[in-house]
């Protein structure tokens, strides 16, 4: 019997939900935390009202700023009654930085500045180091997106000091986050690395993978970087073969998400299983298996496009 939802995943999530309601009216509608792709954290639509991204770095403000303080894979937050907020005020006295902060935006007219806190520096007790990938989503999407944009721009500033053509120093372009070589005049702009991520379906099953560095029992989707001369659909097909050994077909675009770890653009697809047995290399991927939609394992946090694809297309 053919799948009545076949092809529906290439439509908007709202269209998919409407079709499911028509086919299964007795089932209650599922409530999604992020009902539209533009709402996903790290996409600009998730930014709070009053946030203005500067077109180029601005002079630092030491009096009354909003601070994005990054320490390793965490963002330092002020905790009040189990709620987290970005620190505010003058430059913290305890902050001993190797590189100066970066002023990259304003929020309600106040400067927003990002800084990398040395890993060995002890933070004051009023702050907590909240991992970006924490499963419990205590940071609001708005603040998470501010922190993500700051993280990505700070990474660009640190990685773009010298020209990749001639090794001469780069200087900031006016009204742009790009830079220009002081010797050969070549211009450089923030690097964004496209990746394909794909939800693979077989009837009422999803093919999920596990990597050794992930928590035990938590599974996610096949994903990987775009290679030279590939379309994004070809990338999804290749990654499925490399990571799981299976061949997929009918690859359809669903959504995209900015992913500042450090500078990816995740492009999401859904595809159908064609043929092949699961085979993993045991190194990059240590497990891959089919899960029935009603019996899924621990999944990525809902802030990720991986979870968005699973929730909206399964």
């Amino acid at each position: 019997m053919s799948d009545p939802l076949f092809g529906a995943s290439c439509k908007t999530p709202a269209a998919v939900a409407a079709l499911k309601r028509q086919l299964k009216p007795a089932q209650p509608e599922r409530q999604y935390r992020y009902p539209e792709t533009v709402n996903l954290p790290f996409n600009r639509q998730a930014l709070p009202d009053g946030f203005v991204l500067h077109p180029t770095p601005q002079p630092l403000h030491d009096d009354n700023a909003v601070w994005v303080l990054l320490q390793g894979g965490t963002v330092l937050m002020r905790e009040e009654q189990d709620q987290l907020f970005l620190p505010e005020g003058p430059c913290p006295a305890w902050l001993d930085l190797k590189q100066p902060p970066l002023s990259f935006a304003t929020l309600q007219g106040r400067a927003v500045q990002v800084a990398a806190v040395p890993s060995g520096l002890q933070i004051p007790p009023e702050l907590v180091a909240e991992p970006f990938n924490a499963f419990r989503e205590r940071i609001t999407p708005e603040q998470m997106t501010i922190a993500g944009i700051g993280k990505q721009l700070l990474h660009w500033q640190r990685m773009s000091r010298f020209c990749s053509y001639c090794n001469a120093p780069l200087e900031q372009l006016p009204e742009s986050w790009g830079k220009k070589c002081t010797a050969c005049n070549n211009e450089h702009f923030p690097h964004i690395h496209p990746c394909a991520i794909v939800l693979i379906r077989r009837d009422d099953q999803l093919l999920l993978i596990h990597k050794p560095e992930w928590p035990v029992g938590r599974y996610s989707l096949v994903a990987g970087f775009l290679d030279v001369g590939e379309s994004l659909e070809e990338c999804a097909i290749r990654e499925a073969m490399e990571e799981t050994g299976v061949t997929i077909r009918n690859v359809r675009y669903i959504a995209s998400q900015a992913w500042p770890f450090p500078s990816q653009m995740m492009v999401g697809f859904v595809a159908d299983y064609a043929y092949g047995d699961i085979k993993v290399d045991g190194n990059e991927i240590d497990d891959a298996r089919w899960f029935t939609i009603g019996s899924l394992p621990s999944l990525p946090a809902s802030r990720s496009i991986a979870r968005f694809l699973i929730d909206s297309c399964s």
Side-chain angles (χ1 to χ4, degrees), residues 60 66-70 97 99-104 112-116 146-147 149-154:
L60 295 175
V66 178
W67 291 90
V68 177
L69 302 176
L70 307 172
L97 301 176
Q99 299 291 334
L102 173 67
S103 183
F104 68 97
V112 182
Q113 301 181 157
V114 59
I146 292 174
I149 290 176
K151 184 179 188 300
Q152 188 166 349
L153 288 174
L154 186 64

Side-chain angles (χ1 to χ4, degrees), residues 18-261:
L19 183 55
K20 287 183 177 180
R21 285 196 299 271
Q22 294 174 17
L23 295 172
K24 300 178 181 179
Q27 294 185 354
E29 182 180 358
R30 198 177 346 177
Q31 297 297 315
Y32 301 120
R33 181 168 184 178
Y34 307 111
E36 299 291 342
T37 60
V38 293
N39 301 134
L40 285 170
F42 310 122
N43 290 349
R44 288 194 185 184
Q45 190 66 30
L47 288 166
D49 292 338
F51 181 91
V52 179
L53 180 64
H54 293 316
T56 191
Q58 298 296 304
L60 295 175
H61 293 261
D62 293 330
D63 50 353
N64 190 21
V66 178
W67 291 90
V68 177
L69 302 176
L70 307 172
Q71 189 175 50
T74 70
V75 55
L76 306 185
M77 306 290 290
R78 177 171 53 87
E79 185 172 21
E80 292 183 6
Q81 299 179 346
D82 203 35
Q83 291 184 307
L84 300 181
F85 305 91
L86 292 171
E88 301 177 0
C91 183
W94 57 269
L95 202 56
D96 183 18
L97 301 176
K98 297 179 180 179
Q99 299 291 334
L102 173 67
S103 183
F104 68 97
T106 59
L107 179 60
Q108 302 292 347
R110 302 172 64 187
V112 182
Q113 301 181 157
V114 59
V117 179
S119 58
L121 186 63
Q122 185 174 2
I123 64 175
E126 65 268 19
L127 297 180
V128 295
E130 187 75 1
F132 271 99
N133 63 350
F135 187 75
R136 184 185 176 197
E137 298 183 49
R138 298 203 299 159
I139 305 178
T140 66
E142 294 82 3
Q143 294 189 94
M144 180 70 75
T145 304
I146 292 174
I149 290 176
K151 184 179 188 300
Q152 188 166 349
L153 288 174
L154 186 64
H155 174 76
W156 162 246
Q157 291 296 100
R158 294 171 61 182
M159 299 298 291
S160 60
R161 293 180 296 168
F162 301 98
C163 178
S164 58
Y165 290 94
C166 69
N167 294 326
L170 298 179
E171 62 181 6
Q172 192 73 48
L173 286 170
E175 299 303 314
S176 170
W177 285 97
K179 297 183 179 182
K180 185 176 182 179
C181 180
T182 56
C184 68
N185 292 324
N186 273 294
E187 295 183 352
H188 304 259
F189 294 89
H191 300 162
I192 299 175
H193 305 285
C195 302
I197 181 168
V198 57
L199 174 72
I200 303 171
R201 294 176 40 178
R202 184 180 69 178
D203 298 325
D204 65 342
Q205 295 180 314
L206 306 180
L207 180 56
L208 304 178
I209 65 167
H210 182 271
K211 293 187 176 184
E213 63 268 24
W214 292 352
V216 175
R218 184 174 301 171
Y219 285 73
S220 189
L221 303 183
V222 166
F225 288 98
L226 186 70
D227 209 345
V228 175
E230 279 186 324
S231 69
L232 286 160
E233 290 83 354
E234 289 173 322
C235 177
I237 293 169
R238 174 180 55 79
E239 288 291 342
M241 172 58 69
E242 291 180 356
E243 294 190 354
T244 69
V246 307
T247 298
I248 59 176
R249 64 181 180 86
N250 198 20
V251 181
R252 292 94 76 194
Y253 169 78
I254 300 295
S256 64
Q257 182 185 29
W259 195 246
F261 304 102

Side-chain angles (χ1 to χ4, degrees), residues 40 197 255-257 266-268 303-310:
L40 285 170
I197 181 168
S256 64
Q257 182 185 29
M266 304 300 297
V267 184
R303 73 173 66 89
S304 67
I305 191 172
R307 184 60 175 272
F308 179 87
L309 291 171
I310 292 170

